[in-house]
């Protein structure tokens, strides 16, 4: 999964990844692991404002949201599980603001799609109630599949009451992962961030290092002053607004004629070793795996 992850990021344009029980850590910017190296968060393209770690969790704050990635081993005794969950609860309680918590909890509860709730599931739900966290899982699609071991939903996403309203399209993907666990993908509709993006899209930028100064001088000599031709009946405010609009349009036209614009979006290219043959092999492998799982059920 560790080798396929960069390609998944490129294809899905993923901003933040919560990872449980990774095989190895990536030596890359934006990667933070838990103390026991059983959980990680990867932020490929954005800055991390703050981070913290424990044995079973790692947290990072990106923008106004703090993200936790968690892994609780299925081999823990009931007493150890309760202790580690208490440590996690204390860490979550110390964080203010919006929260998203995702991970492999190795627990069962009807609240996230299982048919029954076990002891682990009950204590997790009690913790969530104390912290005002809401389960974000939708439906009952299994997130874990292993031949001979059946299917389950150990991977759970929680969010604070403020954040849960922003989560859209939470779903389990049918993507091949080279793991017994499947990718979970969802969007967080951050209105503030969207408005910032829209402003960036509306404000053009130019590559001044590639400016053709002679062309710019020629265009300026031919250009008509923005004040020429303004209607005389306009009031003072209306005349000022019309002058600003004309001046802005003139500057844009001059810059477009003299230098190229800069793209404002991040272009995420496939990893260097990715090719159509590998993509086909991944597709064939996923198909064969699904057929094998169907045969086991029959």
């Amino acid at each position: 999964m560790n080798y396929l992850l960069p390609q998944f990021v490129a294809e899905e344009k993923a901003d933040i990844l919560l990872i449980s029980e990774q095989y190895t850590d990536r030596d890359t910017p934006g990667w933070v692991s838990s103390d026991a190296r059983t959980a990680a968060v990867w932020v490929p393209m954005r800055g991390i404002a703050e981070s913290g770690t424990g044995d079973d969790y790692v947290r990072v704050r990106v923008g106004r949201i703090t993200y936790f990635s968690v892994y609780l081993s299925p081999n823990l005794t009931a007493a150890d599980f309760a202790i580690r969950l208490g440590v996690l609860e204390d860490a979550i309680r110390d964080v203010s603001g919006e929260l998203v918590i995702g991970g492999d909890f190795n627990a069962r509860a009807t609240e996230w799609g299982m048919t029954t709730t076990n002891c682990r599931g009950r204590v997790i739900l009690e913790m969530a109630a104390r912290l005002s966290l809401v389960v974000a899982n939708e439906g009952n699609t299994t997130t874990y599949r292993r031949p001979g071991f059946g299917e389950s939903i150990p991977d759970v996403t929680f969010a604070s009451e403020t954040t849960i309203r922003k989560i859209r399209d939470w779903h389990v993907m049918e993507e091949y992962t080279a793991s017994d666990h499947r990718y979970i993908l969802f969007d967080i509709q951050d209105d503030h961030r969207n408005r910032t993006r829209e402003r960036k899209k509306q404000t053009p930028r130019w590559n001044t290092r590639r400016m053709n100064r002679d062309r710019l001088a020629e265009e300026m000599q031919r250009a008509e002053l923005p004040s020429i031709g303004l209607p005389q009946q306009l009031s003072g405010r209306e005349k000022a607004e019309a002058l600003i609009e004309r001046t802005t349009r003139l500057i844009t036209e001059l810059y477009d004629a003299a230098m190229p614009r800069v793209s404002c979006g991040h272009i995420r290219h496939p990893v260097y070793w990715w090719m159509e043959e590998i993509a086909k092999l991944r597709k064939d492998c996923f198909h064969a795996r699904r057929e094998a799982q169907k045969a086991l059920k029959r």
Side-chain angles (χ1 to χ4, degrees), residues 9-201:
V9 170
E11 291 176 348
E12 298 296 334
K13 298 179 175 60
D15 288 322
I16 300 168
L17 295 95
L18 309 181
I19 305 162
S20 297
E21 203 179 9
Q22 68 272 19
Y23 297 139
T24 57
D25 286 329
R26 292 184 59 82
D27 185 14
T28 184
W31 182 283
V32 186
S33 297
S34 64
D35 294 342
R37 298 294 189 268
T38 56
V41 177
W42 186 22
V43 187
M45 301 295 293
R46 301 182 62 189
I48 296 175
E50 183 185 355
S51 65
T53 62
D55 284 340
D56 308 298
Y57 72 87
V58 56
R59 63 170 174 82
V60 303
R61 183 167 64 84
V62 180
R64 296 185 293 178
I65 302 177
T66 300
Y67 298 84
F68 277 78
S69 180
V70 180
Y71 176 74
L72 294 173
S73 171
N75 300 321
L76 294 172
T77 65
D80 286 340
F81 184 85
I83 292 172
R84 290 173 182 259
L85 196 65
V87 172
L88 174 64
E89 179 174 351
D90 290 341
I92 296 172
R93 198 179 297 278
D94 287 341
V95 175
S96 60
E98 300 187 46
L99 289 167
V100 171
I101 301 163
D104 183 356
F105 288 84
N106 282 298
R108 294 172 175 264
T110 56
E111 278 76 2
W112 53 79
M114 297 299 296
T115 56
T116 59
T117 301
N118 62 8
C119 293
R120 284 189 170 204
R122 279 193 290 272
V123 295
I124 289 174
L125 290 172
E126 290 170 0
M127 178 195 73
R130 290 191 294 270
L131 297 173
S132 299
L133 298 175
V134 184
V135 176
N137 291 45
E138 296 182 6
N140 57 0
T141 303
T142 56
T143 65
Y144 171 89
R145 293 175 180 174
R146 185 177 181 184
F149 290 83
E151 303 181 3
S152 183
I153 309 175
D155 306 296
V156 191
T157 308
F158 295 94
S160 56
E161 293 177 342
T162 304
T163 313
I164 194 69
R165 295 192 292 267
K166 301 177 182 179
I167 292 181
R168 301 287 185 274
D169 194 26
W170 188 102
H171 65 283
V172 182
M173 299 187 67
E174 291 289 341
E175 179 77 20
Y176 175 69
T177 65
S179 166
D180 298 325
H181 292 260
R182 301 162 70 187
Y183 292 133
I184 295 171
L185 193 66
F186 57 91
D187 293 325
I188 298 179
Q189 300 295 325
D190 190 330
D191 294 336
H192 174 75
R193 185 179 169 195
N194 289 341
R195 286 195 298 268
T196 302
R197 282 180 171 177
E198 288 300 318
R199 285 196 296 268
K200 288 182 178 179
K201 288 179 182 178

